[in-house]
Amino acid sequence: MDTTRTLEPQRHLPTGTDPGVRSRLRTVGDFARSPEGHAALMGFFGAIMITVGGFGAGAVRKRDPLLEALHLSWLRFGHGYALSTIVIWIGVLMMITAWVRLGRNTLSKDAERVTLNELRAIVGIWITPLLFAAPMFSRDAYSYLAQGALLRDGFDPYQVGPVANPGVLLDNVSTVWTTTTAPYGPVFLLIGRAVTTLTGDNVIAGTIALRIVMLPGLALMMWAVPYLTKHLGGKPTVALWLAVLNPLVLIHLIGGVHNEMLMVGLMCAGIALVLERHHVAGIVVVAIGVAIKATAGVALPFLVWIWILHEKERRAAQRRDRADSDAALSEEQKHPDAARPSADMPHPLLVFTKIAGIGVCVFAAVFGAASVIAGVGFGWVTALQGSNKIINWLSLPTILAHIVTWVTPWTQDEVLSVTRDLGKVALVVVLVATWWRFRHSEREAVMGIIVAFVAIVLLSPAALPWYYSWPLAVAAGFALSTRTLMWLVGICTWLMLVFQPDGSIGLYNFWHVALATFAAVVAAVSLRHVDPLHLRKAGSHAAQLEPAPSLRT
């Protein structure tokens, strides 16, 4: 019987087919027929719909000669625009549904039901159509290209905005960012220069090239996020499903072309290296992430704690070895606590100073070298203030400002500057307190990174949905309860849906927010229940109540 089942699929293959090919084809066939394969196919078609609809309702170019040449410009206006928008939202909902289904299978009691390789393959399947889409849910890609062209053409992006370099690339930058200097690190400016040097002022080729540049960050996430579970206690497949296959990550970071893809991948890889006691290498990788986007630097102070803990463990092991080999040592000398000052151990403050000093020197060397190669200074520090132009409900200072204006005669501008200043003070206090509180173990230090990122997203002057990919990537490494995962699914789904495909904010439209909230609740409950709305039961019940058709004679 076993032999018959093994040979049966081979009858449909051409004679002389290599056995290895047959085995791979059988594996692909089995996967395609599995629930995971069905979910992968649904997400793939969802991504295709997002890509197709994006040509009309995404963050499209102000003038698109390609659509004009194909006589498809009607997709951007009137009924064509409405149709394109509907196609995008159907695609987004299909990807969210497929993601939740994969989550149910991944969380099932059958531990071998979904493998890491299958999930990694699904990542590739889902992002392939998105690589060729118009920028989705954001126009940042056009800013990236314009800033890269500034460096290419001899300007300093930290001194002037894209408006200093008129051309096709400038035409597509959001008006609010045309005069804003670059808030990104020198490595990302070098990437932008390389892309625009290669693609010139071709916006389509430049957008695709930027996405390809982001793929190493995605690859690092696919390696590092499951690897973090080795130290944090989570399940690798669940971590990969939550942090990488998440539509909030794939649609925004790949479809939206955001440099968070590189930054988060490098940061996660650096944390994993430090946890594996490759401290210098880990700090180098995180420093490169900071040279992409400064936010990755939040992890560095917590990595110092991990390095210090490892140093204490190493010294404690040396002390135990000496105690075991030398019976003449006193009880005081045999004490296993390496953190305790003694004649043969340095003071903890000296250990901290040494390790923190090494970390700072490594970071300074990497960042300084990148700045020298790019030929720019440290103007990105002041450029970070450019985010103040973003105003939405995702930031607590903004929420507080809106509430105050409802009950007082003050204007929003007057109140917002005060609430943002209060938010900055609170953020500094929270970051320092978190850094000091979460220092006693590896898990605590990584948890501190998560808390710090959440605090930054909530208390900063501005926040955007894809910012939540920062803490999510690290949190996925922990063992999370099903209830916690349901909350995360709901939050990620809501964040995915509250922005419009063209990058505009939907948070000020009541019905948009209401529908997003409803979809988020359904997605969260669906992680545990196959049919949370009881649609199947209702359909079967109606079928049972429907009278049988009568026959006429």
Side-chain angles (χ1 to χ4, degrees), residues 334-376:
K334 293 181 180 180
H335 199 289
D337 184 6
R340 179 183 55 81
S342 62
D344 63 333
M345 296 294 290
H347 193 279
L349 182 59
L350 295 177
V351 176
F352 172 82
T353 303
K354 173 187 173 182
I355 291 176
I358 295 174
V360 169
C361 290
V362 171
F363 170 78
V366 173
F367 204 93
S371 298
V372 170
I373 294 172
V376 295

Side-chain angles (χ1 to χ4, degrees), residues 464-504:
L464 294 165
W466 50 91
Y467 288 5
Y468 284 86
S469 63
W470 310 341
L472 184 67
V474 183
F478 285 89
L480 304 173
S481 66
T482 302
R483 182 175 295 276
T484 301
L485 290 172
M486 290 173 66
W487 273 100
L488 291 175
V489 165
I491 292 171
C492 290
T493 300
W494 188 84
L495 290 169
M496 180 66 250
L497 298 176
V498 293
F499 266 45
Q500 297 282 4
D502 63 357
S504 59

Side-chain angles (χ1 to χ4, degrees), residues 354-406:
K354 173 187 173 182
I355 291 176
I358 295 174
V360 169
C361 290
V362 171
F363 170 78
V366 173
F367 204 93
S371 298
V372 170
I373 294 172
V376 295
F378 294 92
W380 59 273
V381 177
T382 55
L384 293 175
Q385 297 298 321
S387 62
N388 290 346
K389 297 179 180 180
I390 303 172
I391 301 176
N392 62 50
W393 285 85
L394 296 180
S395 169
L396 282 181
T398 303
I399 294 175
L400 183 58
H402 280 302
I403 294 174
V404 171
T405 56
W406 291 342

Side-chain angles (χ1 to χ4, degrees), residues 7 58 83-84 93 114 139 151 161 202 218 247-249 299 331 341 414 426 452 470 483 487 541:
L7 295 177
L83 177 62
S84 299
L93 292 175
V114 182
R139 302 186 67 85
L151 191 62
N202 189 314
L218 181 64
L248 177 67
V249 174
E331 291 300 321
E414 293 173 338
W470 310 341
R483 182 175 295 276
W487 273 100
H541 183 63

Side-chain angles (χ1 to χ4, degrees), residues 130-438:
L130 296 176
L131 292 175
F132 305 99
M136 299 303 305
F137 295 91
S138 171
R139 302 186 67 85
D140 282 3
Y142 303 128
S143 295
Y144 296 164
L145 292 173
Q147 290 161 0
L150 283 174
L151 191 62
R152 177 198 66 188
D153 296 337
F155 297 93
D156 185 347
Y158 295 154
Q159 300 296 325
V160 298
V163 71
N165 194 19
V168 175
L169 297 181
L170 173 65
D171 294 342
N172 294 284
V173 178
S174 297
T175 305
V176 71
W177 302 124
T178 55
T179 58
T180 304
T181 55
Y184 309 115
V187 168
F188 192 69
L189 291 182
L190 287 170
I191 290 173
R193 183 176 71 181
V195 167
T196 53
T197 299
L198 180 65
T199 62
D201 290 341
N202 189 314
V203 179
I204 296 174
T207 301
I208 295 173
L210 278 176
R211 286 198 177 103
I212 293 174
V213 168
M214 304 299 173
L215 293 182
L218 181 64
L220 286 173
M221 281 188 71
M222 286 195 289
W223 168 76
V225 170
Y227 199 86
L228 289 175
T229 61
K230 174 182 175 182
H231 295 270
L232 304 179
K235 185 178 177 182
T237 51
V238 173
L240 184 63
W241 164 78
L242 177 63
V244 182
L245 270 166
N246 195 321
L248 177 67
V249 174
L250 295 184
I251 297 176
H252 271 305
L253 300 193
I254 295 295
V257 202
H258 291 293
N259 54 15
E260 270 84 0
M261 188 83 266
L262 278 173
M263 183 205 80
V264 174
L266 288 163
M267 180 189 68
C268 289
I271 294 172
L273 287 170
V274 171
L275 289 172
E276 282 294 301
R277 300 173 187 266
H278 303 295
H279 306 109
V280 173
I283 290 177
V284 167
V285 172
V286 175
I288 296 173
V290 178
I292 298 289
K293 191 166 185 175
T295 318
V298 173
L300 290 172
F302 295 93
L303 297 183
V304 171
W305 287 138
I306 297 175
W307 191 347
I308 291 173
L309 289 167
H310 290 168
E311 181 66 13
K312 290 179 179 179
E313 292 171 2
R314 185 183 68 83
R315 291 177 180 275
Q318 290 178 345
R319 174 176 286 177
R320 285 193 299 271
D321 291 341
R322 288 197 303 270
D324 293 339
S325 61
D326 191 347
L329 292 176
S330 64
E331 291 300 321
E332 176 71 12
Q333 292 173 314
K334 293 181 180 180
H335 199 289
D337 184 6
R340 179 183 55 81
S342 62
D344 63 333
M345 296 294 290
H347 193 279
L349 182 59
L350 295 177
V351 176
F352 172 82
T353 303
K354 173 187 173 182
I355 291 176
I358 295 174
V360 169
C361 290
V362 171
F363 170 78
V366 173
F367 204 93
S371 298
V372 170
I373 294 172
V376 295
F378 294 92
W380 59 273
V381 177
T382 55
L384 293 175
Q385 297 298 321
S387 62
N388 290 346
K389 297 179 180 180
I390 303 172
I391 301 176
N392 62 50
W393 285 85
L394 296 180
S395 169
L396 282 181
T398 303
I399 294 175
L400 183 58
H402 280 302
I403 294 174
V404 171
T405 56
W406 291 342
V407 297
T408 69
W410 297 329
T411 64
Q412 179 175 291
D413 291 340
E414 293 173 338
V415 178
L416 191 57
S417 61
V418 175
T419 56
R420 283 181 166 177
D421 288 339
L422 291 175
K424 292 175 184 177
V425 173
L427 180 58
V428 172
V429 172
V430 170
L431 290 180
V432 173
T434 300
W435 177 70
W436 183 252
R437 162 64 180 82
F438 294 94

Side-chain angles (χ1 to χ4, degrees), residues 37-54 84-99 122 125-131 133 136-137 247 250-251 255 496:
H38 295 163
L41 195 61
M42 175 183 285
F44 175 68
F45 282 116
I48 290 177
M49 295 186 74
I50 293 171
T51 299
V52 172
S84 299
T85 302
I86 292 171
V87 170
I88 290 174
W89 284 123
I90 292 175
V92 170
L93 292 175
M94 287 178 68
M95 286 194 73
I96 292 173
T97 302
W99 176 57
I122 293 172
I125 292 171
W126 286 6
I127 69 167
T128 299
L130 296 176
L131 292 175
M136 299 303 305
F137 295 91
L250 295 184
I251 297 176
M496 180 66 250

